């Protein structure tokens, strides 16, 4: 293995990791507030590239405008799914909400099959994203840089919202104790909606970047990245935003490096993620940055 | 009237089911039999998941993995050796497996035992985890099992899967095994073991303080649950006659979980009803996406519409029946006779008053 190839793969790992991180945020924020594994998040992620595809292909809008429209529509879908399918179940047994999430996941995935057909579509990549940078012997596609750069910008924005604004304060309060926050005058429903909007918008950014990196979109494309991002959230410590970022990076990087170093068993690529998950759960059951919860009788 | 004893009623109703199965197997058309078979298979799978999740309270999402083990073991054991040579195109089948040929029962039990063994090995460390973490870890193990199956072509034929498995599964098998599963699980939860399991479900620390050995009971429940999941997988293989690793994605676990939760967590009766309802619903929605002609107009088939409808129905059901169809209700003969009495009693009193 030459050094150049290793460097190339590290950049590759960073870019994949930043995508996982973007998706993982949605899982971790929703789990932090509602204690719900939002199984539909992967499907929300899948919708964004489709929205982009249709607004830029059919309505012939410029790419950046289509991207914004796609992000807004995806965020709306996420919010609506919460309003319709999760909100009525807030006081129900948690497993019912989980089944509801599975229902939403089935619904969105099959709706995509009905509306967009199950045949994969090739995504048009704007010229800006298909440039090739050359540093000595290392060649890196601009998509990789773009996904790292955009992720950093978006994630900084998120950190600002969560830790510096009043809405963010409300979210953090709810994740500690939903009842007390309500008593303190926090508009719980609004804060939860905003959480879903932010999580889905980040998933949309991730989905669009994903479709630039792997330019084929199909209705089931969200399942595996969704699952892996969820695992990233758990590895980082579910409920913790920096944890989700760290977990995403860790997973993306180790996945790429696994394939780089052990090409002979690359068929086990997807299982490697689960092995990391299980190891982390055994060593530190609350994830790397998770807070330990004391169990009481 | 004195209430007849539960055992006699059970025997009578079993005989009744026996006759029903006999009639169904011989008179119904193949399509209906298939749906009934699937329903009964889901009873086995659902009741086994209910044991670990509904009664023991351990959130396990590993059922698809255990099913996969059972399905592959069963398929490899019932396939005739000459046929194995034909279908293993990528790599020939490894030695002992390529000559073994066993009857269906042996294969099913072997499948169950192997997946129970896998559950035991996984369960001892993993059952220390709690709640959602346990669910995620078991999901992870199920996916690992599936990926391993995909990557050992000399045993599983890799991604090509195994085709042409003899179709042994019929209503006798599926119904028989479903009843056997219910019998075992019901017996288990009414014993002192069952009370220990439910104590763990209600409060782990309190149960431990009361002297319940947590690891032992959890692992036992997990292993038995996986045994029946493996047997269910074997039925699945010999019902569909073709299996590949893709069939055992975590969506399979979702399906079983939906059956269990829709029926009502911790209710065997609920699981039985939901299992059949689920399969009938899925099948009866099939015409929705098939194309049809309305006079001169032709409506093309719309793939996906069936599942869209299904998921909407699922959402409505779970939103309005938040604790499942039956909640925690369990059928018993006592309840049965009491409700019969309730239906008939008012009539008697009115007759008495007129006389």
């Amino acid at each position: 293995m030459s050094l150049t190839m290793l460097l190339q793969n590290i950049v590759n790992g960073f870019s994949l990791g930043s995508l996982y991180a973007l998706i993982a945020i949605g899982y971790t924020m929703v789990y932090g507030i509602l204690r719900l594994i939002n199984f539909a998040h992967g499907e929300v992620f899948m919708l964004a590239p489709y929205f982009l595809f249709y607004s830029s292909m059919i309505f012939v809008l410029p790419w950046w405008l289509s991207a914004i429209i796609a992000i807004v529509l995806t965020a709306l879908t996420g919010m609506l799914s919460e309003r319709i399918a999760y909100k009525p179940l807030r006081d129900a047994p948690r497993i019912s909400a989980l089944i509801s999430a599975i229902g939403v996941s089935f619904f969105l995935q099959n709706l995509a099959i009905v509306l967009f057909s199950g045949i994969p579509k090739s995504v048009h990549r704007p010229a800006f994203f298909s440039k090739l940078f050359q540093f000595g012997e290392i060649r890196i596609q601009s998509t990789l840089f773009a996904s790292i750069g955009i992720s950093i910008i978006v994630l900084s924005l998120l950190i600002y919202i969560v830790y510096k604004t009043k809405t963010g304060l409300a979210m953090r309060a709810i994740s500690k104790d939903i009842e007390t926050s309500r008593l303190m005058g926090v508009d719980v429903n609004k804060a939860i909606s905003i959480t879903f909007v932010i999580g889905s918008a980040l998933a949309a950014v991730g989905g669009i970047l994903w479709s630039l990196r792997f330019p084929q979109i199909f209705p089931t494309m969200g399942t595996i990245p969704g699952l892996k991002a969820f695992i990233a959230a758990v590895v980082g410590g579910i409920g913790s935003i920096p944890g989700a970022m760290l977990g995403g990076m860790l997973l993306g990087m180790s996945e790429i490096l696994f394939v780089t170093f052990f090409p002979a068993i690359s068929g086990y690529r997807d299982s490697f993620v689960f092995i990391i998950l299980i190891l982390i759960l055994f060593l530190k059951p609350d994830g790397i940055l998770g807070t330990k919860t004391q169990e009481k009788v | 009237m004195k209430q007849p004893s539960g055992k006699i009623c059970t025997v009578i109703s079993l005989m009744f089911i026996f006759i029903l199965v006999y009639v169904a197997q011989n008179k119904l058309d193949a399509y209906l039999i298939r749906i009934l078979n699937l329903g009964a298979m889901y009873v086995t799978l659902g009741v086994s998941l209910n044991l670990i999740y509904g009664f023991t309270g351990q959130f396990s999402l590993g059922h698809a993995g255990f099913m996969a083990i059972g399905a592959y073991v069963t398929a490899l054991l019932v396939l005739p050796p000459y046929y194995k040579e034909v279908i293993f195109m990528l790599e020939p089948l490894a030695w002992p497996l390529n000559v073994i040929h066993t009857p269906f029962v042996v294969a099913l039990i072997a499948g169950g035992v192997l997946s129970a063994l896998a559950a035991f090995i996984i369960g001892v460390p993993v059952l220390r985890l709690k709640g959602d973490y346990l669910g995620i870890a078991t999901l992870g193990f199920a996916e690992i099992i599936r990926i391993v199956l995909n990557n050992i072509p000399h045993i599983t034929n890799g991604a090509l899967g195994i085709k042409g498995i003899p179709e042994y599964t019929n209503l006798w098998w599926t119904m028989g095994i479903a009843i056997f599963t219910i019998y075992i699980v019901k017996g288990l939860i009414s014993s002192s073991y069952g009370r220990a399991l439910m104590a763990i479900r209600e409060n782990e620390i309190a149960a431990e303080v009361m002297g319940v050995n947590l690891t032992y009971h959890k692992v036992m429940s997990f292993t038995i649950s996986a045994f029946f999941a493996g047997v269910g997988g074997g039925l699945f293989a010999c019902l569909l006659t073709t299996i590949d690793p893709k069939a055992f994605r975590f969506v399979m676990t979702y399906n079983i979980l939906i059956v269990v939760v829709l029926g009502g967590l911790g209710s065997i009766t609920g699981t039985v009803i939901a299992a059949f309802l689920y399969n009938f619903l899925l099948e009866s929605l099939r015409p929705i996406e098939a194309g049809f002609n309305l006079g001169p107009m032709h409506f093309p088939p719309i793939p996906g519409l069936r599942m869209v409808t299904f998921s909407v129905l699922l959402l409505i059901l779970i939103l309005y029946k938040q604790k499942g169809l039956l909640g925690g209700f369990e059928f018993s003969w006592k309840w049965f006779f009491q409700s019969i009495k309730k239906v008939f009693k008012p009539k008697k009193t009115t007759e008495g008053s007129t006389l």
Side-chain angles (χ1 to χ4, degrees):
Chain A
M1 159 107 22
S2 63
L3 189 69
T4 51
M5 245 183 92
L6 185 68
L7 276 175
Q8 204 154 346
N9 278 311
I10 286 177
V11 176
N12 205 352
F14 259 120
S15 110
L16 187 66
S18 57
L19 296 185
Y20 284 153
L22 281 175
I23 314 168
I25 300 284
Y27 280 110
T28 219
M29 284 174 78
V30 169
Y31 191 90
I33 288 185
L34 293 179
R35 300 283 176 273
L36 164 74
I37 306 174
N38 184 8
F39 277 124
H41 198 59
E43 273 56 54
V44 169
F45 158 87
M46 165 274 293
L47 284 176
Y50 270 108
F51 286 141
L52 173 65
F53 179 86
Y54 278 91
S55 47
S56 67
M57 282 287 147
I58 294 182
F59 299 104
V60 219
L61 297 171
W63 193 87
W64 60 271
L65 187 60
S66 325
I68 292 174
I69 292 176
I71 293 169
V72 171
L73 285 178
T74 313
L76 271 179
T77 314
M79 196 190 84
L80 277 178
S81 71
E82 191 272 331
R83 273 291 148 99
I84 296 168
Y86 308 146
K87 195 179 161 206
L89 291 170
R90 223 170 269 164
D91 298 321
R94 279 177 53 213
I95 184 65
S96 304
L98 194 76
I99 295 292
S100 193
I102 294 175
V104 173
S105 157
F106 281 3
F107 176 75
L108 292 178
Q109 198 175 89
N110 288 286
L111 190 70
I113 294 176
V114 171
L115 295 178
F116 314 132
S117 98
I119 305 160
K121 289 189 163 48
S122 305
V123 170
H124 162 72
R125 215 163 21 187
F128 169 71
F129 288 107
S130 38
K131 258 187 225 156
L132 216 55
F133 287 104
Q134 184 125 17
F135 303 96
E137 279 176 43
I138 313 172
R139 263 189 243 146
I140 292 165
Q141 237 183 14
S142 56
T143 325
L144 300 189
F145 283 128
S147 53
I148 298 174
I150 292 175
S151 309
I152 291 175
I153 296 170
V154 170
L155 294 179
S156 327
L157 197 68
L158 171 81
I159 293 201
Y160 174 77
I161 293 175
V162 173
Y163 292 99
K164 295 282 175 210
T165 65
K166 246 188 159 163
T167 322
L169 186 65
M171 288 176 188
R172 282 181 289 141
I174 294 174
S175 73
K176 288 274 184 245
D177 188 333
I178 194 163
E179 278 313 313
T180 313
S181 316
R182 188 178 283 145
L183 292 175
M184 297 293 173
V186 174
D187 188 343
V188 171
N189 289 331
K190 191 178 139 204
I192 290 177
S193 287
I194 293 173
T195 307
F196 271 83
V197 165
I198 293 175
S200 308
L202 291 182
V205 174
I208 291 168
L209 292 171
W210 187 276
S211 73
L212 293 173
R213 192 190 154 109
F214 309 100
Q216 275 237 320
I217 54 175
F218 44 94
T220 51
M221 67 180 274
T223 320
I224 295 296
L227 189 62
K228 283 187 188 162
F230 172 58
I231 288 167
V234 177
V235 166
I238 195 146
S240 147
I241 291 174
M245 295 179 190
L246 184 71
M249 282 297 170
L250 187 75
L251 237 60
M253 187 64 81
S254 48
E255 191 182 328
I256 296 282
L257 292 184
F258 175 76
V259 181
T260 316
F261 285 115
F262 311 102
I265 48 169
S266 61
Y268 289 97
R269 175 183 182 154
D270 287 347
S271 68
F272 184 61
V273 174
F274 295 105
I275 293 170
I276 295 183
L277 164 80
I278 287 160
L279 283 180
I280 293 278
L281 284 183
F282 283 151
L283 296 174
K284 213 169 172 308
D286 299 299
I288 302 173
L289 297 182
T291 43
K292 207 167 171 61
T293 44
Q294 193 68 44
E295 207 184 339
K296 280 178 254 170
V297 182
Chain B
M1 190 183 77
K2 205 176 149 259
Q3 185 186 315
S5 98
K7 264 187 192 153
I8 296 172
C9 298
T10 311
V11 171
I12 292 171
S13 49
L14 274 181
M15 279 159 69
F16 186 62
I17 292 172
F18 189 85
I19 296 167
L20 275 185
V21 169
Y22 180 81
V23 174
Q25 187 68 46
N26 292 301
K27 297 283 174 201
L28 290 179
D29 64 279
Y31 182 54
L32 269 176
I33 291 179
R34 191 185 178 81
I35 300 174
L36 284 174
N37 269 327
L38 281 171
M41 189 189 84
Y42 268 95
V43 171
T44 305
L45 295 167
V47 170
S48 69
L49 183 62
N50 217 341
L51 173 65
I52 183 71
Y53 186 32
F55 292 109
T56 322
Q58 304 302 306
F59 189 29
S60 163
L61 292 175
H63 250 52
F66 299 129
M67 261 185 90
I69 295 178
Y72 269 94
V73 170
T74 308
L76 287 171
L77 291 182
V78 295
L79 271 178
Y82 72 89
Y83 191 73
K84 287 181 194 169
E85 271 176 43
V86 182
I87 60 162
F88 276 74
M89 286 182 291
L90 292 175
E91 274 178 56
L93 186 56
W95 168 65
L97 285 168
N98 61 355
V99 284
I100 294 180
H101 187 200
T102 65
F104 188 42
V105 199
V106 180
L108 276 181
I109 294 172
V113 168
L114 239 80
S115 80
L117 191 70
F120 180 77
I121 296 167
I122 296 170
V124 171
V126 93
L127 283 166
R128 286 185 312 166
L129 299 171
K130 290 187 178 73
D132 291 334
Y133 290 107
L134 176 64
I136 300 151
T138 44
L139 179 86
F141 272 113
E143 281 290 292
I144 290 173
I145 290 172
R146 188 180 68 81
I147 294 162
V148 168
L149 289 174
N150 213 355
N151 282 289
I152 43 172
H154 55 285
I155 297 176
T156 61
N157 209 14
L160 290 179
I162 300 176
K163 293 181 184 68
I165 304 162
E167 200 179 342
Y168 284 125
T169 304
N170 56 24
L171 276 179
W172 292 115
W173 282 109
T174 51
M175 291 297 252
I177 289 173
I179 290 169
F180 179 69
T181 313
I182 294 172
Y183 175 75
I184 295 287
V185 171
K186 180 83 188 133
L188 192 70
I189 56 169
S190 351
S191 69
S192 64
Y193 285 114
R195 283 190 287 280
L197 297 183
M198 282 183 263
I200 293 174
R201 173 185 70 185
E202 296 305 329
N203 192 323
E204 231 167 74
I205 295 177
E208 197 173 19
V209 171
M210 298 305 284
V212 174
N213 184 341
L214 290 186
T215 316
Y216 171 76
H217 283 93
K218 283 187 196 174
V219 171
M220 183 192 67
S221 167
F222 193 59
T223 310
I224 295 173
S225 166
F227 174 82
F228 286 111
V231 173
L235 290 175
F236 179 81
C238 291
L239 181 66
L240 268 68
T241 71
T242 163
I243 50 171
D244 62 60
K246 266 190 197 154
F248 303 103
R249 285 213 167 131
F250 51 88
V251 176
M252 192 74 225
T253 309
Y254 286 179
N255 290 339
I256 307 168
L257 190 67
I258 289 172
V259 164
V260 172
V261 177
L262 268 193
L265 210 54
S267 159
I268 295 176
T269 323
T271 305
V272 174
I273 294 172
F276 284 104
L277 193 72
Y278 179 80
N279 283 289
F280 271 101
L281 194 66
L282 267 182
E283 289 305 321
S284 59
L285 290 175
R286 221 172 259 286
I288 290 180
E289 68 178 8
F292 58 92
N293 292 311
L294 197 72
M297 284 188 291
H298 173 69
F299 292 90
I302 310 168
L305 198 58
R306 172 175 77 120
M307 284 306 286
V308 169
T309 322
F310 173 76
S311 47
V312 170
L313 287 175
L314 175 67
L315 282 173
I316 293 173
L317 260 177
I318 201 70
L319 288 179
Y320 287 96
K321 282 273 178 195
Q322 302 190 346
K323 287 186 175 158
L325 292 172
L326 298 190
F329 170 80
E330 197 71 270
F331 177 85
S332 66
W333 289 114
K334 201 178 160 196
W335 168 85
F336 182 73
F337 287 111
Q338 271 172 359
S339 44
I340 284 186
K341 264 185 202 162
K342 262 185 210 158
V343 173
F344 286 107
K345 233 179 189 170
K347 272 187 186 170
K348 268 185 189 166
T349 48
T350 48
E351 276 169 17
S353 63
T354 46
L355 274 170

